[in-house]
Amino acid sequence: MNGENTRSKTLTRKDFLWYMALIAGATVTETQFIACSRRKDKYAHIKGKINGASAAIGHQLRNGSFATPDQTEILDTVIIGSGISGLSAAYHLLKNNYTNFKVLELESHPGGNAADGENAYSAYPLGAHYLPVASLDNQPLLDFLHDIGMITGYDDKQLPVYQETDLRYDPEERLFIRNRWQEGLVPQFGVSDAAQAEFRRFFATMEKLRWQKGSDNLYLFDIPVVHSSKDPETQALDNISMKVYLQHEGYHSEEIYWYLDYCCRDDYGAGIEIISAWAGIHYFASRKGKAANADNAAVLTWPEGNGHLVKKMSDIIGERIQTDSLAYKVTPAGDKVWVDYLNVKTGTTKRIIANTCIMATPQFVTHRLLPDGDYDHNFNYSPWLVANITLDPLSDSKGFQLCWDNVFYKSRSLGYVNAQHQRLTLEAPTQQVLTYYLPLDHLPPADSRRYALNLPHEQWVKLITDDMEVAHPGVHALIKDIEVWIWGHGMIRPTVGFITGANIAAARESKHKNILFAHSDLSGISIFEEAFYWGNKAADGVLATSV
């Protein structure tokens, strides 16, 4: 799957028409398509552009050839990638007074899928946008949050006290269902007594599983994933889909199937027919966070999403992060590692000779950098669209008020997050900024990537605006700008059999003692805590070799 050819090819009008209809879940006529293509319609005033990870540069790993490096640098360690795992590794090394290293980053900014952007009205996320309060068992994460000032201390019960401005403000969530907004994301309006009973049963089951341990005295579902119980009965859940699990357990209501499909698409980029039951249950049963000044389901969030955490780490790591640097070859050389990279601005190639290398890269990159050629373990990645919409302030809606998270029932999208929800001023913004999320899971990942990377901005504008219009009639007239960001490989996809399978187990093992791996895809779940775990683990491996 990861060797797929996603290079652009000419797409016909019918290709675009079919793809638009597929995403929207409705029919798009050729007349509508032509009108939108010529921009002579109600969307013509909406400005913006398409951005995204530097696919063209990154694809040089597959398509390009590189000059032999003529400059050499000597370091103790080189880290490839400045996503959360790479930044966590660097942060952990510095905390332990290990300083002679460099972080190579392809993009012009660090962060990976936790990156952020900003316009004249607000900062906003380009991907991941929150972090749940930490489990009391996750001491490294608690220490990190304390170090950067997000945990200000502990109460007499040893529960962490979080900085109030980092906790998500009220109102938190709402759902547009049956032509009105309700508080919370679990469907309520027009839901039968039988369906409500199914929700109560499901959540009671998840709460029981949250605290249940296996015969190995490990929680059945935990974060990081590798700390979860290995009991065969529980792991067998990875061999069926979440949908099959629900059917086996006797759930029938359309509302619970929609809700759980939404949750899987939210965290994994694919629905209950694709995601394993183990991963689907992990979404609900793994988190065990507690706080002195917030409920257990509280999250930390900021206008720029997890870009805030990226900045905290990047500020400390400083100039050791070298952006615009494409690592294209990693060569084990006895007790050394050679890392060759391209400066994408100057076009020059350089070599770092290091004692150790941390590859904080996803598998589809890792296997292209190493000479062995067998590190590609058939990992699947979900493509995503994130759009930041600048518009005149929305008027009051029917039902519950604007929240941080705003979801549309039965939409192909996940709705939008109000990027300005965490503003520290009571003054109303002159323009609102809403961050819209759409997992591109309606086709196999390779096909979705190919179509998404070819779809023009005006087509995305139509798709996004039409979806918003369902909950906000007339919103097209308010929208000024839509900045579209395409993630071709947005997150690892925990398909049936993946998390407990041989492929992921093999991917965690390096054949070279001085090359270490660190990425959330080694967990099968793309969340901050998993990336943080693997970054710390790799850094500990480096520290152990330096003693």
Side-chain angles (χ1 to χ4, degrees), residues 304-318:
E304 66 271 39
N306 286 11
H308 187 79
L309 295 164
V310 169
K311 187 175 188 303
K312 289 285 188 180
M313 287 191 279
S314 298
D315 285 348
I316 293 168
I317 300 164

Side-chain angles (χ1 to χ4, degrees), residues 9-88:
K9 76 167 191 176
T10 302
L11 298 181
T12 68
R13 180 180 296 167
K14 288 185 178 179
D15 286 329
F16 285 131
L17 194 63
W18 172 72
Y19 186 65
M20 290 171 66
L22 197 62
I23 298 177
T27 300
V28 180
T29 68
E30 186 147 352
T31 300
Q32 289 173 313
F33 181 88
I34 294 170
C36 187
S37 297
R38 293 175 178 171
R39 308 283 289 172
K40 294 179 180 179
D41 54 22
K42 64 182 182 181
Y43 313 104
H45 68 284
I46 299 175
K47 302 183 184 303
K49 60 183 180 298
I50 297 177
N51 298 300
S54 300
I57 297 172
H59 284 173
Q60 291 186 48
L61 288 176
R62 182 183 64 215
N63 307 322
S65 58
F66 301 90
T68 302
D70 57 6
Q71 299 181 49
T72 300
E73 182 178 6
I74 307 297
L75 292 172
D76 287 339
T77 296
V78 58
I79 300 171
I80 304 175
S82 71
I84 296 300
S85 55
L87 293 176
S88 298

Side-chain angles (χ1 to χ4, degrees), residues 66-375:
F66 301 90
T68 302
D70 57 6
Q71 299 181 49
T72 300
E73 182 178 6
I74 307 297
L75 292 172
D76 287 339
T77 296
V78 58
I79 300 171
I80 304 175
S82 71
I84 296 300
S85 55
L87 293 176
S88 298
Y91 181 90
H92 194 60
L93 290 177
L94 282 176
K95 188 174 179 180
N96 286 274
N97 300 313
Y98 188 102
T99 60
N100 188 26
F101 68 88
K102 181 174 287 187
V103 182
L104 299 181
E105 170 56 48
L106 161 63
E107 304 291 345
S108 60
H109 54 80
N113 66 8
D116 64 284
E118 186 174 10
N119 62 20
Y121 308 102
S122 181
Y124 48 73
L126 297 174
H129 58 285
Y130 68 92
L131 173 65
V133 295
S135 166
L136 300 185
D137 292 334
N138 197 338
Q139 195 61 50
L141 182 56
L142 290 168
D143 291 343
F144 166 71
L145 294 174
H146 185 267
D147 290 346
I148 62 174
M150 291 181 186
I151 292 177
T152 60
Y154 289 82
D155 70 2
D156 55 5
K157 296 180 181 178
Q158 291 305 298
L159 295 178
V161 178
Y162 285 88
Q163 180 68 250
E164 291 287 347
T165 53
D166 294 323
L167 291 165
R168 177 181 57 189
Y169 301 160
D170 290 329
E172 298 176 355
E173 300 169 328
R174 66 175 180 170
L175 174 67
F176 189 77
I177 180 172
R178 301 185 174 104
N179 205 35
R180 66 175 297 178
W181 290 100
Q182 61 151 72
E183 183 178 7
L185 300 185
V186 175
Q188 300 171 32
F189 294 153
V191 178
S192 68
D193 291 344
Q196 293 179 28
E198 286 189 351
F199 275 112
R200 289 193 296 270
R201 175 162 69 94
F202 177 81
F203 288 127
T205 299
M206 295 301 104
E207 186 63 17
K208 180 181 177 181
L209 291 173
R210 187 192 312 275
W211 303 105
Q212 190 171 337
K213 293 186 176 182
S215 58
D216 50 10
N217 202 37
L218 298 174
Y219 287 115
L220 297 183
F221 301 92
D222 207 354
I223 296 174
V225 164
V226 295
H227 288 175
S228 300
S229 174
K230 305 303 184 292
D231 273 4
E233 183 178 351
T234 303
Q235 292 209 314
L237 291 166
D238 195 45
N239 296 323
I240 62 172
S241 71
M242 189 61 179
K243 182 175 182 178
V244 169
Y245 168 81
L246 294 173
Q247 292 169 338
H248 283 177
E249 295 299 312
Y251 294 98
H252 302 288
S253 73
E254 75 167 37
E255 290 88 357
I256 200 166
Y257 276 80
W258 169 82
Y259 175 72
L260 296 176
D261 193 66
Y262 159 82
C263 291
C264 285
R265 297 177 73 236
D266 180 41
D267 248 29
Y268 308 133
I272 56 176
E273 294 183 352
I274 302 296
I275 300 305
S276 84
W278 193 97
I281 294 170
H282 184 274
Y283 178 96
F284 295 95
S286 60
R287 297 200 180 279
K288 302 167 178 65
K290 291 186 178 182
N293 58 332
D295 63 45
N296 297 346
V299 303
L300 309 170
T301 190
W302 310 269
E304 66 271 39
N306 286 11
H308 187 79
L309 295 164
V310 169
K311 187 175 188 303
K312 289 285 188 180
M313 287 191 279
S314 298
D315 285 348
I316 293 168
I317 300 164
E319 294 183 354
R320 292 179 179 85
I321 301 173
Q322 184 172 304
T323 57
D324 299 301
S325 299
L326 170 65
Y328 62 85
K329 188 176 182 181
V330 176
T331 307
D335 62 350
K336 302 294 183 182
V337 183
W338 297 353
V339 178
D340 297 343
Y341 71 94
L342 170 73
N343 183 314
V344 300
K345 286 190 172 180
T346 66
T348 57
T349 56
K350 299 182 180 181
R351 172 171 293 167
I352 298 175
I353 299 176
N355 297 327
T356 51
C357 174
I358 295 176
M359 300 188 69
T361 48
Q363 276 292 302
F364 68 91
V365 173
T366 298
H367 99 104
R368 293 194 179 277
L369 296 181
L370 288 167
D372 306 80
D374 61 351
Y375 278 93

Side-chain angles (χ1 to χ4, degrees), residues 294-456:
D295 63 45
N296 297 346
V299 303
L300 309 170
T301 190
W302 310 269
E304 66 271 39
N306 286 11
H308 187 79
L309 295 164
V310 169
K311 187 175 188 303
K312 289 285 188 180
M313 287 191 279
S314 298
D315 285 348
I316 293 168
I317 300 164
E319 294 183 354
R320 292 179 179 85
I321 301 173
Q322 184 172 304
T323 57
D324 299 301
S325 299
L326 170 65
Y328 62 85
K329 188 176 182 181
V330 176
T331 307
D335 62 350
K336 302 294 183 182
V337 183
W338 297 353
V339 178
D340 297 343
Y341 71 94
L342 170 73
N343 183 314
V344 300
K345 286 190 172 180
T346 66
T348 57
T349 56
K350 299 182 180 181
R351 172 171 293 167
I352 298 175
I353 299 176
N355 297 327
T356 51
C357 174
I358 295 176
M359 300 188 69
T361 48
Q363 276 292 302
F364 68 91
V365 173
T366 298
H367 99 104
R368 293 194 179 277
L369 296 181
L370 288 167
D372 306 80
D374 61 351
Y375 278 93
D376 184 9
H377 296 286
N378 196 29
F379 282 29
N380 291 296
Y381 295 84
S382 297
W384 278 77
L385 173 140
V386 180
N388 280 283
I389 306 168
T390 302
L391 69 164
D392 292 335
L394 293 169
S395 59
D396 290 340
S397 301
K398 184 177 180 181
F400 201 69
Q401 61 188 300
L402 179 67
C403 291
W404 172 70
D405 195 10
N406 307 266
V407 175
F408 312 143
Y409 185 59
K410 291 189 175 181
S411 169
R412 294 300 299 165
S413 77
L414 301 177
Y416 62 86
V417 168
N418 177 13
Q420 295 158 311
H421 191 71
Q422 299 295 111
R423 285 165 57 94
L424 297 179
T425 175
L426 295 177
E427 182 181 350
T430 58
Q431 297 277 276
Q432 284 186 320
V433 178
L434 308 177
T435 306
Y436 175 96
Y437 290 89
L438 176 66
L440 303 175
D441 61 334
H442 43 285
L443 289 174
D447 293 331
S448 277
R449 275 189 278 279
R450 181 168 61 88
Y451 278 95
L453 292 172
N454 281 278
L455 201 66

